[in-house]
Amino acid sequence: ASACLEDWNFYKTKLEKEHPNLYLYTSQAEMRQFFDSVTAIITGPMNSINFFNLITLSHSKIKDGHTHIFPDPSTTKDNDLHASFFPIKVHWEEGRMYVVKMYSSDTQLVPGTEIQIINGVNAGLLYNLMMHRQIRDGYNKTYPAWILEQYFAEYYSYHLGNPDEFILHTRKSDNTSETNTIKALPKDSIAYYKKTKYGELRGDALFNTGITVEIDTSMHTAILTIKDFHDDILRTMYHQKFKDVISECFKQIQKHQVEHLILDLRNN
């Protein structure tokens, strides 16, 4: 308990001393009450998952997309190397979960199948649990919803751990119900099926370009696609430097005397 309290007090103190808009959406009195309530809950040892679920409740209080909490890097690094994850890409629609792609050799579930329960937890309850602990900008929930859409398997592991299998209660398009057991897979196996089944991998030029420009000289129009503005993500995922690539894009735009520029920021 002492280690958890020490970490919590460090985080709380940093927020109170350095956060520029800590009380923008939650009053100082309400925020202090929240801080005190979390402190009161930490009465004994907590594992990393339980502690993460507790302190990330602060996200919905602060409502600042630049204030983020991730699990301990040593834990996530070990999980990336040795743990197994949920091998399904899902789509959320009003708190209901649907299968989009199967990142495994399993053929039990087809796209459009609704996943109603995962390992005994109702999908709607799971969505609310994760959304309530997600970052957001003000009252807008578009960003946290997008995160859970794109990185559900990752955040499932943050909030509920890494089970060896997932017992799913599902409903097919014909309204019949089934129970399916899906084996969890390590990340390298999931990446293999992303590549072989759907062509999704970072090595492909199509998927490995964070910033691109396409020029239609006949229309004097350019489409500038920017998948991310963060330098570290561009370097790590796309092997690009923002300033260098943007400069080159605009050289091409000027060279071809583009009159109309379309910015494609979808999924940015």
Side-chain angles (χ1 to χ4, degrees), residues 209-216 221-227 234 240-258 260-263:
T209 308
I211 302 174
T212 59
V213 62
E214 301 173 49
I215 298 175
D216 185 336
T221 299
I223 301 175
L224 178 61
T225 300
I226 303 176
K227 294 182 180 178
L234 286 168
Q240 292 182 314
K241 292 182 179 180
F242 183 86
K243 288 185 178 180
D244 293 348
V245 177
I246 285 291
S247 295
E248 183 58 34
C249 287
F250 275 96
K251 285 180 182 178
Q252 295 299 316
I253 289 170
Q254 291 171 341
K255 176 182 176 181
H256 291 91
Q257 298 180 337
V258 167
H260 310 287
L261 177 62
I262 300 171
L263 289 179

PDB file of all heavy atoms in Angstrom, residues 209-216 221-227 234 240-258 260-263:
ATOM      1  N   THR A 209       3.575   5.065 -44.538  1.00  0.00           N
ATOM      2  CA  THR A 209       3.835   6.461 -44.849  1.00  0.00           C
ATOM      3  C   THR A 209       2.909   7.334 -44.027  1.00  0.00           C
ATOM      4  O   THR A 209       1.691   7.306 -44.215  1.00  0.00           O
ATOM      5  CB  THR A 209       3.624   6.733 -46.351  1.00  0.00           C
ATOM      6  OG1 THR A 209       4.387   5.790 -47.102  1.00  0.00           O
ATOM      7  CG2 THR A 209       4.074   8.129 -46.711  1.00  0.00           C
ATOM      8  N   GLY A 210       3.493   8.083 -43.126  1.00  0.00           N
ATOM      9  CA  GLY A 210       2.674   8.911 -42.242  1.00  0.00           C
ATOM     10  C   GLY A 210       2.218  10.195 -42.917  1.00  0.00           C
ATOM     11  O   GLY A 210       1.117  10.671 -42.692  1.00  0.00           O
ATOM     12  N   ILE A 211       3.084  10.778 -43.749  1.00  0.00           N
ATOM     13  CA  ILE A 211       2.765  12.019 -44.455  1.00  0.00           C
ATOM     14  C   ILE A 211       3.020  11.814 -45.946  1.00  0.00           C
ATOM     15  O   ILE A 211       4.107  11.410 -46.346  1.00  0.00           O
ATOM     16  CB  ILE A 211       3.626  13.191 -43.944  1.00  0.00           C
ATOM     17  CG1 ILE A 211       3.431  13.391 -42.436  1.00  0.00           C
ATOM     18  CG2 ILE A 211       3.288  14.480 -44.686  1.00  0.00           C
ATOM     19  CD1 ILE A 211       4.340  14.426 -41.833  1.00  0.00           C
ATOM     20  N   THR A 212       1.999  12.067 -46.765  1.00  0.00           N
ATOM     21  CA  THR A 212       2.138  11.929 -48.211  1.00  0.00           C
ATOM     22  C   THR A 212       1.440  13.097 -48.907  1.00  0.00           C
ATOM     23  O   THR A 212       0.540  13.720 -48.328  1.00  0.00           O
ATOM     24  CB  THR A 212       1.510  10.622 -48.724  1.00  0.00           C
ATOM     25  OG1 THR A 212       0.121  10.601 -48.383  1.00  0.00           O
ATOM     26  CG2 THR A 212       2.191   9.419 -48.129  1.00  0.00           C
ATOM     27  N   VAL A 213       1.853  13.354 -50.147  1.00  0.00           N
ATOM     28  CA  VAL A 213       1.163  14.351 -50.951  1.00  0.00           C
ATOM     29  C   VAL A 213       0.921  13.767 -52.335  1.00  0.00           C
ATOM     30  O   VAL A 213       1.800  13.137 -52.928  1.00  0.00           O
ATOM     31  CB  VAL A 213       1.966  15.670 -51.058  1.00  0.00           C
ATOM     32  CG1 VAL A 213       3.298  15.461 -51.743  1.00  0.00           C
ATOM     33  CG2 VAL A 213       1.133  16.741 -51.763  1.00  0.00           C
ATOM     34  N   GLU A 214      -0.311  13.899 -52.806  1.00  0.00           N
ATOM     35  CA  GLU A 214      -0.686  13.465 -54.153  1.00  0.00           C
ATOM     36  C   GLU A 214      -1.133  14.701 -54.921  1.00  0.00           C
ATOM     37  O   GLU A 214      -1.957  15.476 -54.436  1.00  0.00           O
ATOM     38  CB  GLU A 214      -1.824  12.443 -54.106  1.00  0.00           C
ATOM     39  CG  GLU A 214      -1.498  11.183 -53.316  1.00  0.00           C
ATOM     40  CD  GLU A 214      -2.712  10.292 -53.177  1.00  0.00           C
ATOM     41  OE1 GLU A 214      -3.381  10.026 -54.202  1.00  0.00           O
ATOM     42  OE2 GLU A 214      -3.017   9.883 -52.042  1.00  0.00           O
ATOM     43  N   ILE A 215      -0.599  14.863 -56.135  1.00  0.00           N
ATOM     44  CA  ILE A 215      -0.865  16.079 -56.913  1.00  0.00           C
ATOM     45  C   ILE A 215      -1.556  15.721 -58.223  1.00  0.00           C
ATOM     46  O   ILE A 215      -1.085  14.871 -58.978  1.00  0.00           O
ATOM     47  CB  ILE A 215       0.436  16.852 -57.184  1.00  0.00           C
ATOM     48  CG1 ILE A 215       1.055  17.298 -55.854  1.00  0.00           C
ATOM     49  CG2 ILE A 215       0.174  18.059 -58.083  1.00  0.00           C
ATOM     50  CD1 ILE A 215       2.392  17.973 -55.996  1.00  0.00           C
ATOM     51  N   ASP A 216      -2.674  16.363 -58.452  1.00  0.00           N
ATOM     52  CA  ASP A 216      -3.398  16.235 -59.726  1.00  0.00           C
ATOM     53  C   ASP A 216      -3.127  17.513 -60.516  1.00  0.00           C
ATOM     54  O   ASP A 216      -3.737  18.559 -60.265  1.00  0.00           O
ATOM     55  CB  ASP A 216      -4.897  16.056 -59.463  1.00  0.00           C
ATOM     56  CG  ASP A 216      -5.692  15.792 -60.741  1.00  0.00           C
ATOM     57  OD1 ASP A 216      -5.214  16.180 -61.822  1.00  0.00           O
ATOM     58  OD2 ASP A 216      -6.793  15.220 -60.643  1.00  0.00           O
ATOM     59  N   THR A 221      -4.612  20.581 -58.078  1.00  0.00           N
ATOM     60  CA  THR A 221      -5.055  20.228 -56.728  1.00  0.00           C
ATOM     61  C   THR A 221      -4.079  19.233 -56.095  1.00  0.00           C
ATOM     62  O   THR A 221      -3.544  18.359 -56.777  1.00  0.00           O
ATOM     63  CB  THR A 221      -6.468  19.600 -56.767  1.00  0.00           C
ATOM     64  OG1 THR A 221      -7.377  20.550 -57.304  1.00  0.00           O
ATOM     65  CG2 THR A 221      -6.935  19.187 -55.381  1.00  0.00           C
ATOM     66  N   ALA A 222      -3.861  19.389 -54.793  1.00  0.00           N
ATOM     67  CA  ALA A 222      -3.016  18.449 -54.055  1.00  0.00           C
ATOM     68  C   ALA A 222      -3.778  17.927 -52.844  1.00  0.00           C
ATOM     69  O   ALA A 222      -4.568  18.652 -52.227  1.00  0.00           O
ATOM     70  CB  ALA A 222      -1.724  19.129 -53.605  1.00  0.00           C
ATOM     71  N   ILE A 223      -3.542  16.654 -52.523  1.00  0.00           N
ATOM     72  CA  ILE A 223      -4.089  16.059 -51.303  1.00  0.00           C
ATOM     73  C   ILE A 223      -2.919  15.762 -50.380  1.00  0.00           C
ATOM     74  O   ILE A 223      -2.052  14.943 -50.701  1.00  0.00           O
ATOM     75  CB  ILE A 223      -4.864  14.768 -51.606  1.00  0.00           C
ATOM     76  CG1 ILE A 223      -6.025  15.041 -52.564  1.00  0.00           C
ATOM     77  CG2 ILE A 223      -5.397  14.152 -50.298  1.00  0.00           C
ATOM     78  CD1 ILE A 223      -6.767  13.788 -52.991  1.00  0.00           C
ATOM     79  N   LEU A 224      -2.890  16.443 -49.257  1.00  0.00           N
ATOM     80  CA  LEU A 224      -1.824  16.256 -48.269  1.00  0.00           C
ATOM     81  C   LEU A 224      -2.383  15.416 -47.122  1.00  0.00           C
ATOM     82  O   LEU A 224      -3.270  15.864 -46.398  1.00  0.00           O
ATOM     83  CB  LEU A 224      -1.318  17.606 -47.762  1.00  0.00           C
ATOM     84  CG  LEU A 224      -0.225  17.582 -46.691  1.00  0.00           C
ATOM     85  CD1 LEU A 224       1.032  16.885 -47.208  1.00  0.00           C
ATOM     86  CD2 LEU A 224       0.096  18.997 -46.231  1.00  0.00           C
ATOM     87  N   THR A 225      -1.883  14.203 -46.987  1.00  0.00           N
ATOM     88  CA  THR A 225      -2.332  13.285 -45.931  1.00  0.00           C
ATOM     89  C   THR A 225      -1.349  13.316 -44.774  1.00  0.00           C
ATOM     90  O   THR A 225      -0.141  13.128 -44.964  1.00  0.00           O
ATOM     91  CB  THR A 225      -2.437  11.850 -46.473  1.00  0.00           C
ATOM     92  OG1 THR A 225      -3.379  11.822 -47.541  1.00  0.00           O
ATOM     93  CG2 THR A 225      -2.898  10.893 -45.374  1.00  0.00           C
ATOM     94  N   ILE A 226      -1.862  13.569 -43.577  1.00  0.00           N
ATOM     95  CA  ILE A 226      -1.028  13.598 -42.373  1.00  0.00           C
ATOM     96  C   ILE A 226      -1.662  12.654 -41.358  1.00  0.00           C
ATOM     97  O   ILE A 226      -2.714  12.956 -40.786  1.00  0.00           O
ATOM     98  CB  ILE A 226      -0.915  15.018 -41.793  1.00  0.00           C
ATOM     99  CG1 ILE A 226      -0.365  15.980 -42.850  1.00  0.00           C
ATOM    100  CG2 ILE A 226      -0.016  15.019 -40.548  1.00  0.00           C
ATOM    101  CD1 ILE A 226      -0.306  17.431 -42.380  1.00  0.00           C
ATOM    102  N   LYS A 227      -1.034  11.515 -41.117  1.00  0.00           N
ATOM    103  CA  LYS A 227      -1.593  10.524 -40.208  1.00  0.00           C
ATOM    104  C   LYS A 227      -1.288  10.831 -38.750  1.00  0.00           C
ATOM    105  O   LYS A 227      -1.982  10.356 -37.854  1.00  0.00           O
ATOM    106  CB  LYS A 227      -1.081   9.131 -40.564  1.00  0.00           C
ATOM    107  CG  LYS A 227      -1.566   8.638 -41.926  1.00  0.00           C
ATOM    108  CD  LYS A 227      -1.070   7.240 -42.204  1.00  0.00           C
ATOM    109  CE  LYS A 227      -1.549   6.757 -43.561  1.00  0.00           C
ATOM    110  NZ  LYS A 227      -1.041   5.411 -43.887  1.00  0.00           N
ATOM    111  N   LEU A 234       5.951   9.589 -35.718  1.00  0.00           N
ATOM    112  CA  LEU A 234       6.366   9.597 -37.120  1.00  0.00           C
ATOM    113  C   LEU A 234       7.715   8.905 -37.300  1.00  0.00           C
ATOM    114  O   LEU A 234       7.924   8.161 -38.258  1.00  0.00           O
ATOM    115  CB  LEU A 234       6.437  11.029 -37.641  1.00  0.00           C
ATOM    116  CG  LEU A 234       5.086  11.712 -37.899  1.00  0.00           C
ATOM    117  CD1 LEU A 234       5.274  13.203 -38.130  1.00  0.00           C
ATOM    118  CD2 LEU A 234       4.370  11.077 -39.087  1.00  0.00           C
ATOM    119  N   GLN A 240       9.847   8.865 -40.548  1.00  0.00           N
ATOM    120  CA  GLN A 240       9.806  10.190 -41.160  1.00  0.00           C
ATOM    121  C   GLN A 240      10.061  11.259 -40.096  1.00  0.00           C
ATOM    122  O   GLN A 240       9.781  11.053 -38.917  1.00  0.00           O
ATOM    123  CB  GLN A 240       8.442  10.448 -41.807  1.00  0.00           C
ATOM    124  CG  GLN A 240       8.134   9.593 -43.019  1.00  0.00           C
ATOM    125  CD  GLN A 240       6.792   9.930 -43.624  1.00  0.00           C
ATOM    126  OE1 GLN A 240       5.790  10.080 -42.917  1.00  0.00           O
ATOM    127  NE2 GLN A 240       6.752  10.055 -44.943  1.00  0.00           N
ATOM    128  N   LYS A 241      10.579  12.398 -40.554  1.00  0.00           N
ATOM    129  CA  LYS A 241      10.723  13.571 -39.705  1.00  0.00           C
ATOM    130  C   LYS A 241       9.738  14.622 -40.197  1.00  0.00           C
ATOM    131  O   LYS A 241       9.740  14.975 -41.380  1.00  0.00           O
ATOM    132  CB  LYS A 241      12.155  14.108 -39.751  1.00  0.00           C
ATOM    133  CG  LYS A 241      13.178  13.194 -39.124  1.00  0.00           C
ATOM    134  CD  LYS A 241      14.568  13.829 -39.159  1.00  0.00           C
ATOM    135  CE  LYS A 241      15.597  12.923 -38.503  1.00  0.00           C
ATOM    136  NZ  LYS A 241      16.952  13.528 -38.529  1.00  0.00           N
ATOM    137  N   PHE A 242       8.915  15.122 -39.284  1.00  0.00           N
ATOM    138  CA  PHE A 242       7.806  15.989 -39.675  1.00  0.00           C
ATOM    139  C   PHE A 242       8.276  17.177 -40.510  1.00  0.00           C
ATOM    140  O   PHE A 242       7.788  17.394 -41.623  1.00  0.00           O
ATOM    141  CB  PHE A 242       7.062  16.478 -38.434  1.00  0.00           C
ATOM    142  CG  PHE A 242       5.865  17.323 -38.764  1.00  0.00           C
ATOM    143  CD1 PHE A 242       4.637  16.731 -39.030  1.00  0.00           C
ATOM    144  CD2 PHE A 242       5.953  18.706 -38.811  1.00  0.00           C
ATOM    145  CE1 PHE A 242       3.529  17.494 -39.350  1.00  0.00           C
ATOM    146  CE2 PHE A 242       4.856  19.482 -39.130  1.00  0.00           C
ATOM    147  CZ  PHE A 242       3.639  18.870 -39.404  1.00  0.00           C
ATOM    148  N   LYS A 243       9.234  17.954 -40.012  1.00  0.00           N
ATOM    149  CA  LYS A 243       9.660  19.180 -40.702  1.00  0.00           C
ATOM    150  C   LYS A 243      10.249  18.880 -42.070  1.00  0.00           C
ATOM    151  O   LYS A 243       9.954  19.568 -43.057  1.00  0.00           O
ATOM    152  CB  LYS A 243      10.679  19.943 -39.847  1.00  0.00           C
ATOM    153  CG  LYS A 243      10.065  20.620 -38.615  1.00  0.00           C
ATOM    154  CD  LYS A 243      11.110  21.450 -37.882  1.00  0.00           C
ATOM    155  CE  LYS A 243      10.492  22.163 -36.689  1.00  0.00           C
ATOM    156  NZ  LYS A 243      11.495  22.969 -35.956  1.00  0.00           N
ATOM    157  N   ASP A 244      11.063  17.837 -42.146  1.00  0.00           N
ATOM    158  CA  ASP A 244      11.693  17.502 -43.419  1.00  0.00           C
ATOM    159  C   ASP A 244      10.660  17.088 -44.461  1.00  0.00           C
ATOM    160  O   ASP A 244      10.701  17.537 -45.616  1.00  0.00           O
ATOM    161  CB  ASP A 244      12.708  16.371 -43.226  1.00  0.00           C
ATOM    162  CG  ASP A 244      13.900  16.799 -42.394  1.00  0.00           C
ATOM    163  OD1 ASP A 244      14.047  18.017 -42.160  1.00  0.00           O
ATOM    164  OD2 ASP A 244      14.673  15.917 -41.971  1.00  0.00           O
ATOM    165  N   VAL A 245       9.722  16.233 -44.052  1.00  0.00           N
ATOM    166  CA  VAL A 245       8.741  15.713 -45.005  1.00  0.00           C
ATOM    167  C   VAL A 245       7.764  16.802 -45.426  1.00  0.00           C
ATOM    168  O   VAL A 245       7.431  16.941 -46.608  1.00  0.00           O
ATOM    169  CB  VAL A 245       7.988  14.513 -44.410  1.00  0.00           C
ATOM    170  CG1 VAL A 245       6.914  14.009 -45.376  1.00  0.00           C
ATOM    171  CG2 VAL A 245       8.957  13.388 -44.083  1.00  0.00           C
ATOM    172  N   ILE A 246       7.310  17.606 -44.461  1.00  0.00           N
ATOM    173  CA  ILE A 246       6.381  18.694 -44.783  1.00  0.00           C
ATOM    174  C   ILE A 246       7.042  19.690 -45.736  1.00  0.00           C
ATOM    175  O   ILE A 246       6.415  20.160 -46.700  1.00  0.00           O
ATOM    176  CB  ILE A 246       5.912  19.409 -43.498  1.00  0.00           C
ATOM    177  CG1 ILE A 246       4.890  18.541 -42.766  1.00  0.00           C
ATOM    178  CG2 ILE A 246       5.315  20.763 -43.812  1.00  0.00           C
ATOM    179  CD1 ILE A 246       3.554  18.408 -43.479  1.00  0.00           C
ATOM    180  N   SER A 247       8.301  20.011 -45.506  1.00  0.00           N
ATOM    181  CA  SER A 247       9.022  20.934 -46.391  1.00  0.00           C
ATOM    182  C   SER A 247       9.079  20.390 -47.814  1.00  0.00           C
ATOM    183  O   SER A 247       8.856  21.124 -48.791  1.00  0.00           O
ATOM    184  CB  SER A 247      10.437  21.176 -45.862  1.00  0.00           C
ATOM    185  OG  SER A 247      10.397  21.832 -44.618  1.00  0.00           O
ATOM    186  N   GLU A 248       9.375  19.114 -47.948  1.00  0.00           N
ATOM    187  CA  GLU A 248       9.454  18.508 -49.271  1.00  0.00           C
ATOM    188  C   GLU A 248       8.084  18.481 -49.953  1.00  0.00           C
ATOM    189  O   GLU A 248       7.974  18.727 -51.166  1.00  0.00           O
ATOM    190  CB  GLU A 248      10.008  17.079 -49.165  1.00  0.00           C
ATOM    191  CG  GLU A 248      10.198  16.386 -50.496  1.00  0.00           C
ATOM    192  CD  GLU A 248      11.129  17.137 -51.433  1.00  0.00           C
ATOM    193  OE1 GLU A 248      12.094  17.764 -50.950  1.00  0.00           O
ATOM    194  OE2 GLU A 248      10.878  17.102 -52.665  1.00  0.00           O
ATOM    195  N   CYS A 249       7.035  18.209 -49.166  1.00  0.00           N
ATOM    196  CA  CYS A 249       5.678  18.207 -49.725  1.00  0.00           C
ATOM    197  C   CYS A 249       5.322  19.577 -50.297  1.00  0.00           C
ATOM    198  O   CYS A 249       4.781  19.689 -51.411  1.00  0.00           O
ATOM    199  CB  CYS A 249       4.664  17.813 -48.652  1.00  0.00           C
ATOM    200  SG  CYS A 249       4.691  16.057 -48.217  1.00  0.00           S
ATOM    201  N   PHE A 250       5.650  20.633 -49.560  1.00  0.00           N
ATOM    202  CA  PHE A 250       5.292  21.971 -50.029  1.00  0.00           C
ATOM    203  C   PHE A 250       6.185  22.446 -51.176  1.00  0.00           C
ATOM    204  O   PHE A 250       5.771  23.280 -51.978  1.00  0.00           O
ATOM    205  CB  PHE A 250       5.297  22.957 -48.862  1.00  0.00           C
ATOM    206  CG  PHE A 250       3.997  22.955 -48.108  1.00  0.00           C
ATOM    207  CD1 PHE A 250       3.846  22.196 -46.967  1.00  0.00           C
ATOM    208  CD2 PHE A 250       2.899  23.686 -48.574  1.00  0.00           C
ATOM    209  CE1 PHE A 250       2.643  22.173 -46.291  1.00  0.00           C
ATOM    210  CE2 PHE A 250       1.696  23.666 -47.900  1.00  0.00           C
ATOM    211  CZ  PHE A 250       1.555  22.902 -46.752  1.00  0.00           C
ATOM    212  N   LYS A 251       7.385  21.892 -51.274  1.00  0.00           N
ATOM    213  CA  LYS A 251       8.198  22.172 -52.449  1.00  0.00           C
ATOM    214  C   LYS A 251       7.522  21.622 -53.697  1.00  0.00           C
ATOM    215  O   LYS A 251       7.491  22.273 -54.747  1.00  0.00           O
ATOM    216  CB  LYS A 251       9.587  21.549 -52.284  1.00  0.00           C
ATOM    217  CG  LYS A 251      10.505  22.290 -51.324  1.00  0.00           C
ATOM    218  CD  LYS A 251      11.863  21.603 -51.235  1.00  0.00           C
ATOM    219  CE  LYS A 251      12.770  22.312 -50.227  1.00  0.00           C
ATOM    220  NZ  LYS A 251      14.075  21.612 -50.109  1.00  0.00           N
ATOM    221  N   GLN A 252       6.972  20.411 -53.558  1.00  0.00           N
ATOM    222  CA  GLN A 252       6.258  19.802 -54.682  1.00  0.00           C
ATOM    223  C   GLN A 252       4.979  20.567 -55.004  1.00  0.00           C
ATOM    224  O   GLN A 252       4.628  20.759 -56.179  1.00  0.00           O
ATOM    225  CB  GLN A 252       5.926  18.335 -54.362  1.00  0.00           C
ATOM    226  CG  GLN A 252       7.135  17.432 -54.211  1.00  0.00           C
ATOM    227  CD  GLN A 252       7.963  17.377 -55.488  1.00  0.00           C
ATOM    228  OE1 GLN A 252       7.419  17.264 -56.595  1.00  0.00           O
ATOM    229  NE2 GLN A 252       9.280  17.483 -55.344  1.00  0.00           N
ATOM    230  N   ILE A 253       4.297  21.029 -53.967  1.00  0.00           N
ATOM    231  CA  ILE A 253       3.061  21.803 -54.162  1.00  0.00           C
ATOM    232  C   ILE A 253       3.357  23.105 -54.905  1.00  0.00           C
ATOM    233  O   ILE A 253       2.649  23.490 -55.834  1.00  0.00           O
ATOM    234  CB  ILE A 253       2.398  22.078 -52.797  1.00  0.00           C
ATOM    235  CG1 ILE A 253       1.809  20.774 -52.229  1.00  0.00           C
ATOM    236  CG2 ILE A 253       1.319  23.152 -52.903  1.00  0.00           C
ATOM    237  CD1 ILE A 253       1.355  20.875 -50.789  1.00  0.00           C
ATOM    238  N   GLN A 254       4.435  23.778 -54.517  1.00  0.00           N
ATOM    239  CA  GLN A 254       4.809  25.029 -55.181  1.00  0.00           C
ATOM    240  C   GLN A 254       5.315  24.781 -56.602  1.00  0.00           C
ATOM    241  O   GLN A 254       5.008  25.538 -57.532  1.00  0.00           O
ATOM    242  CB  GLN A 254       5.877  25.740 -54.347  1.00  0.00           C
ATOM    243  CG  GLN A 254       5.346  26.269 -53.016  1.00  0.00           C
ATOM    244  CD  GLN A 254       6.453  26.782 -52.120  1.00  0.00           C
ATOM    245  OE1 GLN A 254       7.618  26.443 -52.309  1.00  0.00           O
ATOM    246  NE2 GLN A 254       6.087  27.582 -51.132  1.00  0.00           N
ATOM    247  N   LYS A 255       6.071  23.699 -56.759  1.00  0.00           N
ATOM    248  CA  LYS A 255       6.623  23.370 -58.068  1.00  0.00           C
ATOM    249  C   LYS A 255       5.521  23.157 -59.100  1.00  0.00           C
ATOM    250  O   LYS A 255       5.632  23.578 -60.257  1.00  0.00           O
ATOM    251  CB  LYS A 255       7.499  22.129 -57.964  1.00  0.00           C
ATOM    252  CG  LYS A 255       8.053  21.629 -59.287  1.00  0.00           C
ATOM    253  CD  LYS A 255       8.872  20.364 -59.093  1.00  0.00           C
ATOM    254  CE  LYS A 255       9.355  19.807 -60.425  1.00  0.00           C
ATOM    255  NZ  LYS A 255      10.137  18.555 -60.232  1.00  0.00           N
ATOM    256  N   HIS A 256       4.428  22.528 -58.696  1.00  0.00           N
ATOM    257  CA  HIS A 256       3.341  22.215 -59.630  1.00  0.00           C
ATOM    258  C   HIS A 256       2.237  23.278 -59.610  1.00  0.00           C
ATOM    259  O   HIS A 256       1.179  23.073 -60.173  1.00  0.00           O
ATOM    260  CB  HIS A 256       2.746  20.841 -59.293  1.00  0.00           C
ATOM    261  CG  HIS A 256       3.675  19.703 -59.580  1.00  0.00           C
ATOM    262  ND1 HIS A 256       4.550  19.202 -58.637  1.00  0.00           N
ATOM    263  CD2 HIS A 256       3.897  18.986 -60.719  1.00  0.00           C
ATOM    264  CE1 HIS A 256       5.242  18.212 -59.168  1.00  0.00           C
ATOM    265  NE2 HIS A 256       4.874  18.056 -60.434  1.00  0.00           N
ATOM    266  N   GLN A 257       2.521  24.384 -58.934  1.00  0.00           N
ATOM    267  CA  GLN A 257       1.598  25.529 -58.924  1.00  0.00           C
ATOM    268  C   GLN A 257       0.177  25.114 -58.517  1.00  0.00           C
ATOM    269  O   GLN A 257      -0.809  25.430 -59.174  1.00  0.00           O
ATOM    270  CB  GLN A 257       1.586  26.214 -60.293  1.00  0.00           C
ATOM    271  CG  GLN A 257       2.936  26.772 -60.685  1.00  0.00           C
ATOM    272  CD  GLN A 257       2.921  27.455 -62.041  1.00  0.00           C
ATOM    273  OE1 GLN A 257       2.075  27.190 -62.893  1.00  0.00           O
ATOM    274  NE2 GLN A 257       3.876  28.367 -62.248  1.00  0.00           N
ATOM    275  N   VAL A 258       0.125  24.400 -57.420  1.00  0.00           N
ATOM    276  CA  VAL A 258      -1.163  23.933 -56.891  1.00  0.00           C
ATOM    277  C   VAL A 258      -1.989  25.113 -56.395  1.00  0.00           C
ATOM    278  O   VAL A 258      -1.481  26.000 -55.701  1.00  0.00           O
ATOM    279  CB  VAL A 258      -0.924  22.927 -55.745  1.00  0.00           C
ATOM    280  CG1 VAL A 258      -2.214  22.670 -54.971  1.00  0.00           C
ATOM    281  CG2 VAL A 258      -0.353  21.631 -56.290  1.00  0.00           C
ATOM    282  N   HIS A 260      -5.365  24.440 -55.166  1.00  0.00           N
ATOM    283  CA  HIS A 260      -6.319  23.924 -54.182  1.00  0.00           C
ATOM    284  C   HIS A 260      -5.650  22.815 -53.370  1.00  0.00           C
ATOM    285  O   HIS A 260      -5.208  21.808 -53.934  1.00  0.00           O
ATOM    286  CB  HIS A 260      -7.575  23.378 -54.870  1.00  0.00           C
ATOM    287  CG  HIS A 260      -8.167  24.334 -55.864  1.00  0.00           C
ATOM    288  ND1 HIS A 260      -8.842  25.470 -55.485  1.00  0.00           N
ATOM    289  CD2 HIS A 260      -8.175  24.314 -57.228  1.00  0.00           C
ATOM    290  CE1 HIS A 260      -9.246  26.111 -56.569  1.00  0.00           C
ATOM    291  NE2 HIS A 260      -8.841  25.434 -57.634  1.00  0.00           N
ATOM    292  N   LEU A 261      -5.593  22.998 -52.068  1.00  0.00           N
ATOM    293  CA  LEU A 261      -4.966  22.013 -51.185  1.00  0.00           C
ATOM    294  C   LEU A 261      -6.021  21.366 -50.304  1.00  0.00           C
ATOM    295  O   LEU A 261      -6.768  22.054 -49.597  1.00  0.00           O
ATOM    296  CB  LEU A 261      -3.897  22.680 -50.315  1.00  0.00           C
ATOM    297  CG  LEU A 261      -3.211  21.759 -49.279  1.00  0.00           C
ATOM    298  CD1 LEU A 261      -2.479  20.624 -49.964  1.00  0.00           C
ATOM    299  CD2 LEU A 261      -2.262  22.570 -48.401  1.00  0.00           C
ATOM    300  N   ILE A 262      -6.078  20.049 -50.344  1.00  0.00           N
ATOM    301  CA  ILE A 262      -7.002  19.272 -49.505  1.00  0.00           C
ATOM    302  C   ILE A 262      -6.184  18.587 -48.425  1.00  0.00           C
ATOM    303  O   ILE A 262      -5.231  17.855 -48.712  1.00  0.00           O
ATOM    304  CB  ILE A 262      -7.759  18.226 -50.342  1.00  0.00           C
ATOM    305  CG1 ILE A 262      -8.578  18.899 -51.442  1.00  0.00           C
ATOM    306  CG2 ILE A 262      -8.654  17.373 -49.454  1.00  0.00           C
ATOM    307  CD1 ILE A 262      -9.172  17.940 -52.436  1.00  0.00           C
ATOM    308  N   LEU A 263      -6.549  18.824 -47.175  1.00  0.00           N
ATOM    309  CA  LEU A 263      -5.875  18.154 -46.053  1.00  0.00           C
ATOM    310  C   LEU A 263      -6.670  16.913 -45.651  1.00  0.00           C
ATOM    311  O   LEU A 263      -7.855  17.011 -45.332  1.00  0.00           O
ATOM    312  CB  LEU A 263      -5.784  19.093 -44.847  1.00  0.00           C
ATOM    313  CG  LEU A 263      -4.809  20.266 -44.952  1.00  0.00           C
ATOM    314  CD1 LEU A 263      -4.875  21.103 -43.694  1.00  0.00           C
ATOM    315  CD2 LEU A 263      -3.389  19.777 -45.201  1.00  0.00           C
TER     316      LEU A 263
END
